[in-house]
Amino acid sequence: MKDKVQRLLSRLQEVEGMLGQPETLSDQKRYRELTQEHSQLSELKDVWDQLQNSQKELSENQDLLSRETDTEMLVLLKEEIGRLEVNTAALQKQIETLLVPPDPRDSRNIIMELRAGTGGDEAALFVGDCIRMYQYYAGKKGWKCEILSSSESEVGGYKEYVMSLSGHNVFRLMQYEAGTHRVQRIPDTETQGRVHTSAITVAVLMEPGEDEEIVIDEKDLKIDTYRASGAGGQHVNRTDSAVRITHLPTGTVVACQEERSQHKNKDKAMRLLKSRIADELRRKSQQEMSALRQSQVGSGDRSERIRTYNFPQNRVTDHRIDLTLYKLDRVMEGDLDDLTLPLVNHFYQEQLQA
């Protein structure tokens, strides 16, 4: 690991030199690529420095422990060693993930679609919980989050919720959230205290990049306007601001009613439409991308799941990598790195073996 890190840190100096060259500044595509690589390598350097300091402190405290005789001091040293051991192990895991080479798609904007599957009202409530979880995670990462479309359920939560996320490494960390998420908990309406199981589906779509222009002919579109429904302020049910767009060649249907302006709703719906069409084109042209969308989400049945959230046991399990964490409460507050980072590393290793 050390040799690999040292080679990459040497590359950081090279990248910094290239970023200062006039020919780099005049080539915007090259400049963006180098800026992204610089950001990735700078993060690696920062975590590597933290790891070195943590290992040094740990070694010094272990040395002191072997020579200390004072009882109170021994207790303090053991507590500090325990903290440093946990911190060092976490930093080592982070380094392993950062050693996964950058992908040009890492920071591409994404659209996340969350839908209630089996479980009725409880599934819709869990969609709401997961939206909150992802938005908290986005906040911790400094990402921008924007709602594109939603359909509220009668008891709270959402039957469907579509949002865009943008920022550094957003696709890198979020692409493996796609699939069926199963929840096990006691609903508020359950009088017998029985645990119910329900499920939601998550799809992760990349928004088309500059090199991936999606041209849609207006004559291929059927655009309907209607009055928005559900919670949304005074404009709801008073103006035909909601927009539904059908792409006739593919049968793809998108809708948006989040904005007061019909024009803004149309813009958001077109973004979603282009992302779905681009995703379909990628799936057809690249076999390795076939895990996206339809294969991602399955049918939303309880038996098809990538992850289980068990509230009575405060447990979350990712079934793809056999990872179980007993801190579901923190995960639901947006502490997702202990799930997303191991997934990035796991699927990179799978690609290497393939």
Side-chain angles (χ1 to χ4, degrees):
M1 181 195 281
K2 187 175 181 180
D3 290 343
K4 195 167 184 181
V5 171
Q6 294 303 337
R7 283 199 303 273
L8 287 168
L9 294 185
S10 298
R11 172 65 181 165
L12 176 60
Q13 294 176 328
E14 289 175 27
V15 172
E16 285 175 342
M18 286 187 281
L19 280 170
Q21 294 171 356
E23 56 266 34
T24 303
L25 294 170
S26 62
D27 184 345
Q28 284 302 300
K29 186 181 178 186
R30 178 68 175 148
Y31 181 75
R32 279 196 302 273
E33 288 171 354
L34 286 171
T35 301
Q36 185 173 333
E37 187 179 358
H38 183 268
S39 175
Q40 199 90 22
L41 293 171
S42 296
E43 188 178 357
L44 176 65
K45 183 181 185 301
D46 181 49
V47 178
W48 181 251
D49 289 344
Q50 290 179 50
L51 177 60
Q52 298 293 93
N53 290 333
S54 186
Q55 287 174 331
K56 184 183 174 187
E57 280 187 62
L58 182 58
S59 178
E60 288 171 352
N61 277 279
Q62 286 170 336
D63 185 51
L64 282 172
L65 185 67
S66 66
R67 294 185 282 109
E68 187 58 62
T69 55
D70 182 74
T71 306
E72 286 186 18
M73 196 62 188
L74 282 168
V75 171
L76 290 172
L77 281 169
K78 285 177 181 176
E79 286 179 358
E80 183 64 6
I81 285 169
R83 183 189 68 80
L84 286 166
E85 283 175 341
V86 170
N87 188 51
T88 300
L91 290 168
Q92 283 174 329
K93 281 184 183 176
Q94 206 171 339
I95 289 287
E96 285 173 14
T97 305
L98 289 170
L99 288 176
V100 175
D103 184 310
R105 306 170 302 168
D106 280 345
S107 295
R108 286 277 289 275
N109 296 355
I110 63 166
I111 288 176
M112 291 189 78
E113 302 179 349
L114 295 89
R115 290 186 177 83
T118 53
D121 292 342
E122 182 61 18
L125 289 170
F126 190 57
V127 169
D129 293 336
C130 286
I131 291 162
R132 180 171 165 269
M133 172 182 77
Y134 288 132
Q135 289 178 343
Y136 278 160
Y137 188 52
K140 290 171 194 270
K141 293 292 179 187
W143 299 337
K144 182 185 174 186
C145 182
E146 179 186 8
I147 178 173
L148 298 183
S149 173
S150 69
S151 173
E152 294 180 26
S153 77
E154 293 75 14
V155 297
Y158 297 87
K159 297 172 185 173
E160 177 184 284
Y161 193 95
V162 184
M163 62 182 171
S164 71
L165 293 173
S166 56
H168 176 59
N169 275 343
V170 66
F171 179 70
R172 181 183 177 94
L173 293 172
M174 296 304 289
Q175 60 183 310
Y176 303 116
E177 291 305 295
T180 297
H181 297 239
R182 183 175 67 172
V183 59
Q184 296 172 326
R185 63 183 175 187
I186 303 168
D188 291 338
T189 54
E190 172 57 59
T191 55
Q192 304 297 316
R194 290 173 297 193
V195 173
H196 286 226
T197 299
S198 51
I200 72 165
T201 62
V202 177
V204 178
L205 314 178
M206 264 193 300
E207 289 207 55
E210 292 175 5
D211 58 337
E212 210 179 4
E213 188 180 359
I214 303 297
V215 179
I216 296 178
D217 195 323
E218 283 283 335
K219 72 175 189 295
D220 289 336
L221 300 178
K222 179 175 182 282
I223 301 174
D224 299 306
T225 57
Y226 58 98
R227 293 188 179 183
S229 60
Q234 293 180 357
H235 75 291
V236 169
N237 289 326
R238 290 178 63 180
T239 60
D240 290 342
S241 61
V243 174
R244 182 189 300 108
I245 301 176
T246 305
H247 185 241
L248 299 172
T250 61
T252 306
V253 181
V254 295
C256 183
Q257 63 170 37
E258 301 310 314
E259 302 289 343
R260 292 173 182 267
S261 156
Q262 187 183 109
H263 179 71
K264 287 181 180 177
N265 280 329
K266 184 183 175 185
D267 285 347
K268 284 189 174 184
M270 284 299 294
R271 276 177 64 192
L272 180 53
L273 179 64
K274 285 182 177 181
S275 295
R276 288 190 184 171
I277 291 173
D279 183 68
E280 191 60 33
L281 290 172
R282 285 186 212 111
R283 288 208 306 127
K284 285 179 180 176
S285 63
Q286 294 176 277
Q287 284 301 310
E288 69 267 22
M289 293 293 282
S290 66
L292 281 173
R293 203 139 203 297
Q294 291 308 98
S295 53
Q296 279 180 359
V297 301
S299 66
D301 188 81
R302 281 185 283 254
S303 59
E304 299 176 336
R305 78 277 190 264
I306 61 164
R307 192 177 295 156
T308 296
Y309 304 75
N310 185 298
F311 279 79
Q313 296 178 16
N314 197 34
R315 167 174 62 82
V316 58
T317 300
D318 195 290
H319 304 287
R320 296 163 293 179
I321 53 176
D322 293 326
L323 173 66
T324 296
L325 304 171
Y326 286 92
K327 55 171 196 175
L328 177 55
D329 52 341
R330 285 163 55 194
V331 166
M332 298 310 295
E333 293 297 317
D335 285 356
L336 278 171
D337 274 345
D338 284 347
L339 287 166
T340 58
L341 296 178
L343 283 164
V344 169
N345 193 41
H346 168 79
F347 284 106
Y348 172 64
Q349 297 302 329
E350 273 201 348
Q351 286 170 18
L352 285 182
Q353 288 168 13

